[in-house]
Each structure stands twice: as structure tokens, then as C-alpha cells.
Amino acid sequence: MSKKVVSSAAIVALKEALTDVYWYKGDLRSFLSSTLSNPDILGRVNWEDYKRNIVGFVVDFLARRQEQFQPDLLRLMTEVSRVEDYSHLAQLDDGEKKVKKAKTAVAALKKLTVAHDFLHEEQRKVEERRGVAFQKMVKTTSVQEKLAELTKAYFGLLGSSDPQQRGFALEKILKDLFALFDLDPKASFKITGEQIDGAFSFDGTDYLLEAKWQKEMVSTKDLDSLAGKLSRKLDNTLGMYLSINGYSDDAVKLHSSGRSLMILVDGSDIMAVLEGRIDLLQLLLRKRRHASQTGNIYLRLHEIL
């Protein structure tokens, strides 16, 4: 166990910045759900309490247990210090003052985050080792063969004119792909027309999955359906929507405001995973972090690679 810990000054700065950046508790809750590797921590929070007390409870909980949660603590510091969009604060009463205060708090945290580079370096090395492990994994014969098999099956669907058969085939491809990356796909996948409903687990969080393969881009109404289901689930449940042919701008914009409940994946993302250009877990992690940092739930593949 490392004896190196995050300083008390950084802990105080994190509390201040996190309190100032997220004005509404719903936005704060969404950010924490997306950032923490173990969102079950949020089940301990009294969400009826004042926002500052909620932030203090979460940060202190992590700080007192750094042998277990230091990566989460560092991730919080990093993600908050990277915040650059304050438009959500500017729209509030005295918005200019709120933005100025948040920027000052984030700048103070950023200096202390840089001062903890020795801890971040350890975390970067962990991620690098994971990347190396992935490259080794995709080079193994069994994994290459499975990805090639799934890629062939996926290409075979591109010319299909039978929506129902295409839906069943896509369901199997996704289940096999998630299983290959140890995402524990639940057996309760079901088909409704061309839409697939399922679930999987990733990084301590349960995800509901909905997928559509249709000519039209997925609309606001489609995303509303998944958001409604998520709003009735526990705090450690997020959503992943897969639309092979993408999303309307209005749908992305509307669901990128307020609490981010889901991340969006499209056909180009799936192809990149099938072709071994990106680890599925890394893809999900990057999209989730981007959503928690910016509010934008649709990070495009070209912005990652």
C-alpha cells in the first residue's frame, strides 16, 4: 500500500471547487456518478442535505480511505480542474459572479493537482500497463479470432433488409463483444422491433443498454425513453444508447444538459472496437469521463483516436 497521500490543502481546494462548479445537486450527482469507480458510495449520501455538506461527505470519505479510493480522489481532482465550460452558471442569477468564483476555485485546485503529479504519474503507469495488456490481449489468437468472427457477422448485417433478423443478429454480436471484454452482459436482453434492451456491468457501475439500427437518426423521444427508465433506477445505474446511424443534434443537445444519465455510442465506435483500434473498456471510460467533465454525452470517435 502506498504511503503517499493527497495533501490536506488539495482536499480543501477540491471541496471548494466541486461546490462552486456544480450549482444544482442534480448536476453534482451526475458528475459524481460518472466519475467515481464505485458509485455505491453515493448511496451513503443524504441528498436532502446542503450541497456543501454533500461534497464534504464524499470527499472526506475518499480522503480517509486513500488506500482504497485514492484513484477516485485523483480522478475527481483532475476532472474538476479540467472544467472550462461555465455556461450553466452564467445563466443563473448573479451568473457572472458565480462563474468568477468557480473559475477562481478551479484555478486554485489546478495548481495543487499539478503539485500531485507524483501520484498522477503512478495512476498513469497503471493505465499504461492496462493499455499494454489490451494490446497483448488483442494479439492473442483466440481474441483475434473472436473479433474477426464478430466483424464478419457485423459486416454481414450491413446489407440485410429484414429488420427483425438484423435485430436478433446484432443482439448476439453485442452480447459476445461485451462478454469478450468481461462486461458481464445480462441474459435478459430482449428485442422489441429493431430495439435491443439489455444490461451490463462496467467499472463498478450497472448500465442499461438500448440499441437501434434504423435509417433515421435517433431522436429526442428515443433518448427520453431510456432517461425515463434510468430515473427510476438506483444511483449507480447509468445508460448506454447505441444507434448505428447516429443521433439528431437536438437529441444530443437536450440530453447533454442537466444530469448526464447516459453515454451515446454509434456504429463507427463499434467498428473501431471490432477492428481492434480501441479497447471497448477505454472507449466507455473516455465517453463517461467526457460526459462528466463537459456534460456532452456524445464524444465522437475521431475526438478519441
PDB file of all heavy atoms in Angstrom, residues 43-57:
ATOM      1  N   GLY A  43     -24.726   6.070  -2.416  1.00  0.00           N
ATOM      2  CA  GLY A  43     -25.855   5.566  -1.653  1.00  0.00           C
ATOM      3  C   GLY A  43     -25.782   5.939  -0.186  1.00  0.00           C
ATOM      4  O   GLY A  43     -26.783   5.862   0.529  1.00  0.00           O
ATOM      5  N   ARG A  44     -24.609   6.350   0.277  1.00  0.00           N
ATOM      6  CA  ARG A  44     -24.426   6.772   1.661  1.00  0.00           C
ATOM      7  C   ARG A  44     -24.777   8.247   1.865  1.00  0.00           C
ATOM      8  O   ARG A  44     -24.820   8.719   2.986  1.00  0.00           O
ATOM      9  CB  ARG A  44     -22.966   6.554   2.080  1.00  0.00           C
ATOM     10  CG  ARG A  44     -22.463   5.122   1.901  1.00  0.00           C
ATOM     11  CD  ARG A  44     -20.950   5.057   2.064  1.00  0.00           C
ATOM     12  NE  ARG A  44     -20.432   3.716   1.887  1.00  0.00           N
ATOM     13  CZ  ARG A  44     -20.213   2.860   2.880  1.00  0.00           C
ATOM     14  NH1 ARG A  44     -20.453   3.222   4.124  1.00  0.00           N
ATOM     15  NH2 ARG A  44     -19.742   1.658   2.633  1.00  0.00           N
ATOM     16  N   VAL A  45     -24.981   8.960   0.764  1.00  0.00           N
ATOM     17  CA  VAL A  45     -25.169  10.411   0.836  1.00  0.00           C
ATOM     18  C   VAL A  45     -26.614  10.764   1.174  1.00  0.00           C
ATOM     19  O   VAL A  45     -27.554  10.167   0.646  1.00  0.00           O
ATOM     20  CB  VAL A  45     -24.779  11.061  -0.512  1.00  0.00           C
ATOM     21  CG1 VAL A  45     -25.121  12.550  -0.514  1.00  0.00           C
ATOM     22  CG2 VAL A  45     -23.299  10.853  -0.788  1.00  0.00           C
ATOM     23  N   ASN A  46     -26.780  11.761   2.023  1.00  0.00           N
ATOM     24  CA  ASN A  46     -28.100  12.333   2.287  1.00  0.00           C
ATOM     25  C   ASN A  46     -28.320  13.456   1.286  1.00  0.00           C
ATOM     26  O   ASN A  46     -27.841  14.576   1.475  1.00  0.00           O
ATOM     27  CB  ASN A  46     -28.171  12.871   3.718  1.00  0.00           C
ATOM     28  CG  ASN A  46     -29.491  13.596   3.987  1.00  0.00           C
ATOM     29  OD1 ASN A  46     -30.457  13.476   3.223  1.00  0.00           O
ATOM     30  ND2 ASN A  46     -29.533  14.369   5.064  1.00  0.00           N
ATOM     31  N   TRP A  47     -29.040  13.175   0.212  1.00  0.00           N
ATOM     32  CA  TRP A  47     -29.202  14.147  -0.862  1.00  0.00           C
ATOM     33  C   TRP A  47     -30.155  15.268  -0.500  1.00  0.00           C
ATOM     34  O   TRP A  47     -30.321  16.221  -1.282  1.00  0.00           O
ATOM     35  CB  TRP A  47     -29.655  13.443  -2.135  1.00  0.00           C
ATOM     36  CG  TRP A  47     -28.573  12.570  -2.695  1.00  0.00           C
ATOM     37  CD1 TRP A  47     -28.465  11.215  -2.565  1.00  0.00           C
ATOM     38  CD2 TRP A  47     -27.410  12.993  -3.420  1.00  0.00           C
ATOM     39  NE1 TRP A  47     -27.315  10.771  -3.165  1.00  0.00           N
ATOM     40  CE2 TRP A  47     -26.649  11.842  -3.706  1.00  0.00           C
ATOM     41  CE3 TRP A  47     -26.953  14.230  -3.860  1.00  0.00           C
ATOM     42  CZ2 TRP A  47     -25.458  11.897  -4.398  1.00  0.00           C
ATOM     43  CZ3 TRP A  47     -25.760  14.291  -4.554  1.00  0.00           C
ATOM     44  CH2 TRP A  47     -25.022  13.140  -4.826  1.00  0.00           C
ATOM     45  N   GLU A  48     -30.774  15.189   0.669  1.00  0.00           N
ATOM     46  CA  GLU A  48     -31.615  16.283   1.151  1.00  0.00           C
ATOM     47  C   GLU A  48     -30.777  17.328   1.873  1.00  0.00           C
ATOM     48  O   GLU A  48     -31.259  18.414   2.204  1.00  0.00           O
ATOM     49  CB  GLU A  48     -32.706  15.745   2.082  1.00  0.00           C
ATOM     50  CG  GLU A  48     -33.647  14.737   1.439  1.00  0.00           C
ATOM     51  CD  GLU A  48     -34.382  15.323   0.247  1.00  0.00           C
ATOM     52  OE1 GLU A  48     -34.804  16.493   0.336  1.00  0.00           O
ATOM     53  OE2 GLU A  48     -34.509  14.620  -0.775  1.00  0.00           O
ATOM     54  N   ASP A  49     -29.527  17.008   2.150  1.00  0.00           N
ATOM     55  CA  ASP A  49     -28.630  17.909   2.873  1.00  0.00           C
ATOM     56  C   ASP A  49     -28.187  19.045   1.942  1.00  0.00           C
ATOM     57  O   ASP A  49     -28.413  19.016   0.729  1.00  0.00           O
ATOM     58  CB  ASP A  49     -27.411  17.129   3.373  1.00  0.00           C
ATOM     59  CG  ASP A  49     -26.721  17.807   4.551  1.00  0.00           C
ATOM     60  OD1 ASP A  49     -27.056  18.978   4.842  1.00  0.00           O
ATOM     61  OD2 ASP A  49     -25.850  17.168   5.162  1.00  0.00           O
ATOM     62  N   TYR A  50     -27.509  20.034   2.523  1.00  0.00           N
ATOM     63  CA  TYR A  50     -26.966  21.125   1.715  1.00  0.00           C
ATOM     64  C   TYR A  50     -25.854  20.600   0.807  1.00  0.00           C
ATOM     65  O   TYR A  50     -25.119  19.692   1.162  1.00  0.00           O
ATOM     66  CB  TYR A  50     -26.430  22.242   2.610  1.00  0.00           C
ATOM     67  CG  TYR A  50     -27.499  22.974   3.390  1.00  0.00           C
ATOM     68  CD1 TYR A  50     -27.613  22.802   4.769  1.00  0.00           C
ATOM     69  CD2 TYR A  50     -28.401  23.820   2.746  1.00  0.00           C
ATOM     70  CE1 TYR A  50     -28.599  23.465   5.491  1.00  0.00           C
ATOM     71  CE2 TYR A  50     -29.391  24.479   3.465  1.00  0.00           C
ATOM     72  CZ  TYR A  50     -29.489  24.300   4.834  1.00  0.00           C
ATOM     73  OH  TYR A  50     -30.463  24.947   5.530  1.00  0.00           O
ATOM     74  N   LYS A  51     -25.726  21.248  -0.341  1.00  0.00           N
ATOM     75  CA  LYS A  51     -24.749  20.803  -1.337  1.00  0.00           C
ATOM     76  C   LYS A  51     -23.330  20.769  -0.762  1.00  0.00           C
ATOM     77  O   LYS A  51     -22.573  19.816  -0.999  1.00  0.00           O
ATOM     78  CB  LYS A  51     -24.797  21.726  -2.557  1.00  0.00           C
ATOM     79  CG  LYS A  51     -23.837  21.333  -3.678  1.00  0.00           C
ATOM     80  CD  LYS A  51     -23.901  22.325  -4.818  1.00  0.00           C
ATOM     81  CE  LYS A  51     -23.525  23.718  -4.350  1.00  0.00           C
ATOM     82  NZ  LYS A  51     -23.437  24.690  -5.456  1.00  0.00           N
ATOM     83  N   ARG A  52     -22.945  21.790  -0.004  1.00  0.00           N
ATOM     84  CA  ARG A  52     -21.596  21.846   0.562  1.00  0.00           C
ATOM     85  C   ARG A  52     -21.353  20.664   1.506  1.00  0.00           C
ATOM     86  O   ARG A  52     -20.252  20.103   1.542  1.00  0.00           O
ATOM     87  CB  ARG A  52     -21.372  23.175   1.289  1.00  0.00           C
ATOM     88  CG  ARG A  52     -19.957  23.352   1.832  1.00  0.00           C
ATOM     89  CD  ARG A  52     -19.732  24.754   2.326  1.00  0.00           C
ATOM     90  NE  ARG A  52     -19.746  25.731   1.242  1.00  0.00           N
ATOM     91  CZ  ARG A  52     -18.688  26.028   0.518  1.00  0.00           C
ATOM     92  NH1 ARG A  52     -17.523  25.417   0.742  1.00  0.00           N
ATOM     93  NH2 ARG A  52     -18.767  26.927  -0.447  1.00  0.00           N
ATOM     94  N   ASN A  53     -22.374  20.286   2.257  1.00  0.00           N
ATOM     95  CA  ASN A  53     -22.226  19.143   3.159  1.00  0.00           C
ATOM     96  C   ASN A  53     -22.103  17.835   2.381  1.00  0.00           C
ATOM     97  O   ASN A  53     -21.369  16.923   2.780  1.00  0.00           O
ATOM     98  CB  ASN A  53     -23.420  19.064   4.113  1.00  0.00           C
ATOM     99  CG  ASN A  53     -23.437  20.187   5.123  1.00  0.00           C
ATOM    100  OD1 ASN A  53     -22.399  20.793   5.393  1.00  0.00           O
ATOM    101  ND2 ASN A  53     -24.599  20.475   5.680  1.00  0.00           N
ATOM    102  N   ILE A  54     -22.829  17.748   1.277  1.00  0.00           N
ATOM    103  CA  ILE A  54     -22.736  16.545   0.435  1.00  0.00           C
ATOM    104  C   ILE A  54     -21.333  16.404  -0.125  1.00  0.00           C
ATOM    105  O   ILE A  54     -20.724  15.327  -0.070  1.00  0.00           O
ATOM    106  CB  ILE A  54     -23.768  16.624  -0.712  1.00  0.00           C
ATOM    107  CG1 ILE A  54     -25.194  16.515  -0.149  1.00  0.00           C
ATOM    108  CG2 ILE A  54     -23.516  15.524  -1.742  1.00  0.00           C
ATOM    109  CD1 ILE A  54     -26.279  16.773  -1.190  1.00  0.00           C
ATOM    110  N   VAL A  55     -20.800  17.500  -0.671  1.00  0.00           N
ATOM    111  CA  VAL A  55     -19.441  17.486  -1.212  1.00  0.00           C
ATOM    112  C   VAL A  55     -18.442  17.116  -0.127  1.00  0.00           C
ATOM    113  O   VAL A  55     -17.543  16.285  -0.340  1.00  0.00           O
ATOM    114  CB  VAL A  55     -19.080  18.858  -1.827  1.00  0.00           C
ATOM    115  CG1 VAL A  55     -17.585  18.937  -2.132  1.00  0.00           C
ATOM    116  CG2 VAL A  55     -19.894  19.106  -3.082  1.00  0.00           C
ATOM    117  N   GLY A  56     -18.583  17.722   1.046  1.00  0.00           N
ATOM    118  CA  GLY A  56     -17.671  17.434   2.149  1.00  0.00           C
ATOM    119  C   GLY A  56     -17.700  15.975   2.550  1.00  0.00           C
ATOM    120  O   GLY A  56     -16.647  15.367   2.794  1.00  0.00           O
ATOM    121  N   PHE A  57     -18.892  15.396   2.583  1.00  0.00           N
ATOM    122  CA  PHE A  57     -19.022  13.989   2.968  1.00  0.00           C
ATOM    123  C   PHE A  57     -18.317  13.083   1.967  1.00  0.00           C
ATOM    124  O   PHE A  57     -17.547  12.189   2.349  1.00  0.00           O
ATOM    125  CB  PHE A  57     -20.497  13.597   3.063  1.00  0.00           C
ATOM    126  CG  PHE A  57     -20.711  12.121   3.283  1.00  0.00           C
ATOM    127  CD1 PHE A  57     -20.648  11.570   4.553  1.00  0.00           C
ATOM    128  CD2 PHE A  57     -20.943  11.267   2.201  1.00  0.00           C
ATOM    129  CE1 PHE A  57     -20.829  10.205   4.747  1.00  0.00           C
ATOM    130  CE2 PHE A  57     -21.112   9.904   2.388  1.00  0.00           C
ATOM    131  CZ  PHE A  57     -21.057   9.382   3.676  1.00  0.00           C
TER     132      PHE A  57
END
